[in-house]
Amino acid sequence: MEKFEHEYNADQIQVLEGLEAVRKRPGMYIGSVSVRGLHHLVYEIVDNAVDEALAGYCTEIKITIEKGNIIRVEDNGRGIPVDIHPKTKLSAAETVYTVLHAGGKFGGDSGYKVSGGLHGVGASVVNALAEWTEVKIERDGGLYEMSFERGKTIKPLTRIGDSDKTGTTVRFLADDTIFETLEYEYEVLENRFREMAFLTKGLKISLEDEREETPKKNEFHFEGGLISFVEYLNNNKEKLHPKPIYIEKDGEFPVEIAIQYTSAYSENIYTFVNNINTIEGGTHLEGFKRALTKTFNDYAKAKNILKDKDGNLQGDDIREGITAVISVKVKEPQFEGQTKTKLGNSEVTGIVQAMVNDKLSTFLEENPNVAKAILEKCVSAARAREAARKARELVRRKSSLESTTLPRKTCRL
Ligand code: 28F
């Protein structure tokens, strides 16, 4: 009877099958194996560190692109738990990195799983798609390490020394038999981490590129959160009011909104769910738009800025020149749309609508000069729209009159 190399128990077989499924169809888990999919690997690992920040235990995340396109991500959170799970005989750390979808550490109702563009497939997918992955954990006075190759455990979690710090460090090299390229694009990562820092007020995120002789480094740290985000977006535009309007609500569906009008004619509203940029909008945007229109019309009527004979201000009039960032946290987000970046949860519409109606109307009452500056712009937008409508009507009426009367000279046969 030949000696089996290695006895696999049921759980280990399930792990191997899971990782095999990921390696067979990586696009199912990270969208593509192009450079976009490569960047998703980094976002997945960073998202776990951001979750630790959202939970209140991590204040700094460092991302380094080392020579050879090796990625290193370090956080100063609690460190992934190292205790052995009685059922799986695996540590939580090894579970997070080998069991698909096990990383949902906040899957329950104890917090919000921030998830990357592909909505939090977790660290185990990164592990499966990496030639090798190395995890260092500092917690409970010890320094622990584990490593994998293409998702397979090479070095189980081992205590290798002492440490008086806490945190998690992950290094990995993406598998070049899977990805079209291993070449990370610094600017793409820089933009995403700047956005994450705006969305996670107070969190320090740094990105360093050691691939060239002269390393590149950027650090993002915004105590102002969404207010800083709107100020950044309105950087060299003429503002209609000095400080962005900021309204927020805690509770089961936390909502944060920052608004600042400029003299531009464009409408720039950016919406996020669990830090995912919902470029296709959705129910949070719908609720915001409805409440914005109602609140400004009610205020204009109450202050007699709009006479009863004037029609209501339209949504477009009110959104001309607006820059706004809406960030909501939803435990079980439903994503719809072509690229799964449209929020579908219907309950969110009413939640955002009620919160904006309540808090924006209070803000306008308490800041009449800001209200006046914005409404002057809305009213002039409405007048311009009305004038354009009348002009169009005139042209149409004129051209239809001309076409019904005979030309002065009959056409020569
Ligand atoms: C560089 C990437 O992944 N940081 C992480 C934590 C902290 C905890 C945790 C992570 C699985 C199911 C619990 C610690 N102490 N950085 C990271 N930091 N995961 S990932 O828990 C995951 C376990 O539930 C943590 C107490 N609770 C949670």
Side-chain angles (χ1 to χ4, degrees):
M1 160 91 144
E2 77 274 13
K3 177 85 185 72
F4 277 106
E5 172 119 300
H6 184 104
E7 297 281 310
Y8 285 114
N9 67 32
D11 293 338
Q12 286 161 323
I13 289 168
Q14 187 206 8
V15 163
L16 293 175
E17 284 166 355
L19 300 174
E20 243 351 274
V22 175
R23 290 180 58 80
K24 257 199 211 105
R25 288 180 195 71
M28 289 266 289
Y29 297 86
I30 53 166
S32 75
V33 290
S34 70
V35 68
R36 280 173 60 82
L38 185 74
H39 289 150
H40 270 299
L41 299 182
V42 189
Y43 302 152
E44 280 309 327
I45 300 299
V46 171
D47 283 346
N48 284 343
V50 172
D51 278 339
E52 187 61 0
L54 284 177
Y57 297 98
C58 160
T59 59
E60 189 167 347
I61 302 171
K62 277 177 71 178
I63 300 106
T64 308
I65 311 171
E66 299 179 3
K67 284 190 185 330
N69 283 298
I70 291 166
I71 290 291
R72 182 171 82 245
V73 185
E74 306 165 73
D75 79 33
N76 65 347
R78 293 167 289 185
I80 311 177
V82 294
D83 46 301
I84 303 294
H85 193 287
K87 190 170 89 62
T88 63
K89 298 284 174 280
L90 287 174
S91 66
E94 208 164 339
T95 305
V96 166
Y97 272 79
T98 56
V99 177
L100 280 187
H101 297 289
K105 60 181 175 290
F106 299 122
D109 56 2
S110 62
Y112 301 91
K113 174 89 186 72
V114 159
S115 26
L118 268 282
H119 314 168
V121 289
S124 53
V125 169
V126 178
N127 190 5
L129 300 176
E131 186 178 318
W132 54 262
T133 306
E134 200 184 84
V135 181
K136 275 199 180 60
I137 297 166
E138 294 170 284
R139 70 178 277 137
D140 312 327
L143 171 63
Y144 301 80
E145 197 180 68
M146 60 183 180
S147 65
F148 309 87
E149 280 175 11
R150 292 184 167 89
K152 286 204 179 103
T153 304
I154 297 298
K155 187 176 178 191
L157 191 68
T158 315
R159 192 181 197 283
I160 57 169
D162 300 337
S163 168
D164 51 12
K165 294 187 298 175
T166 64
T168 304
T169 297
V170 176
R171 290 180 73 238
F172 70 87
L173 173 64
D175 189 340
D176 63 0
T177 67
I178 288 185
F179 289 94
E180 293 161 5
T181 170
L182 298 194
E183 199 62 37
Y184 292 94
E185 289 166 14
Y186 185 87
E187 285 67 29
V188 172
L189 294 176
E190 179 190 15
N191 285 331
R192 176 58 182 153
F193 297 138
R194 178 189 298 108
E195 186 177 90
M196 297 213 82
F198 279 130
L199 292 164
T200 320
K201 127 167 60 167
L203 173 63
K204 189 191 280 186
I205 302 181
S206 71
L207 174 63
E208 185 158 3
D209 189 346
E210 296 178 337
R211 292 174 292 181
E212 310 298 329
E213 276 321 296
T214 49
K216 226 182 325 191
K217 179 164 184 174
N218 276 63
E219 216 168 76
F220 304 113
H221 181 204
F222 305 107
E223 287 305 342
L226 293 196
I227 292 174
S228 309
F229 200 168
V230 165
E231 287 170 338
Y232 168 78
L233 292 167
N234 280 347
N235 195 10
N236 44 21
K237 293 181 185 171
E238 183 194 359
K239 279 58 114 179
L240 296 193
H241 50 100
K243 280 167 48 18
I245 299 168
Y246 179 71
I247 52 180
E248 68 172 326
K249 148 191 173 312
D250 272 338
E252 199 196 346
F253 291 88
V255 181
E256 271 191 276
I257 298 174
I259 304 167
Q260 186 175 44
Y261 278 80
T262 70
S263 55
Y265 297 109
S266 59
E267 170 185 330
N268 293 309
I269 303 178
Y270 299 86
T271 61
F272 297 85
V273 179
N274 300 353
N275 290 2
I276 295 163
N277 187 349
T278 36
I279 41 181
E280 293 174 275
T283 49
H284 47 348
L285 178 59
E286 191 47 42
F288 173 72
K289 286 183 172 179
R290 288 186 197 170
L292 195 78
T293 300
K294 174 176 174 12
T295 305
F296 276 113
N297 271 299
D298 289 355
Y299 184 88
K301 285 263 164 52
K303 304 300 175 192
N304 227 354
I305 296 170
L306 262 184
K307 310 285 177 283
D308 281 352
K309 66 175 175 38
D310 296 328
N312 267 358
L313 296 165
Q314 305 291 308
D316 290 344
D317 306 332
I318 288 168
R319 294 194 299 270
E320 185 185 283
I322 193 171
T323 298
V325 179
I326 301 165
S327 174
V328 299
K329 300 277 188 330
V330 177
K331 288 194 182 79
E332 308 282 339
Q334 311 300 326
F335 293 100
E336 301 170 354
Q338 193 64 29
T339 56
K340 292 277 171 255
T341 55
K342 181 173 186 173
L343 181 64
N345 300 63
S346 55
E347 68 276 28
V348 172
T349 309
I351 288 163
V352 173
Q353 205 169 333
M355 173 262 187
V356 173
N357 280 334
D358 170 35
K359 296 184 184 260
L360 181 59
S361 50
T362 304
F363 176 90
L364 296 179
E365 284 303 327
E366 292 169 354
N367 300 273
N369 40 7
V370 175
K372 182 166 170 291
I374 294 171
L375 276 161
E376 271 166 10
K377 170 121 181 134
C378 301
V379 169
S380 79
R383 290 202 176 114
R385 172 173 50 77
E386 194 48 28
R389 193 185 62 75
K390 284 207 170 70
R392 258 196 316 277
E393 210 174 83
L394 206 62
V395 165
R396 287 203 183 114
R397 207 179 310 125
K398 192 161 167 293
S399 64
S400 69
L401 275 175
E402 276 165 4
S403 64
T404 51
T405 57
L406 284 175
R408 273 198 297 284
K409 280 183 292 200
T410 49
C411 52
R412 197 174 302 286
L413 293 178

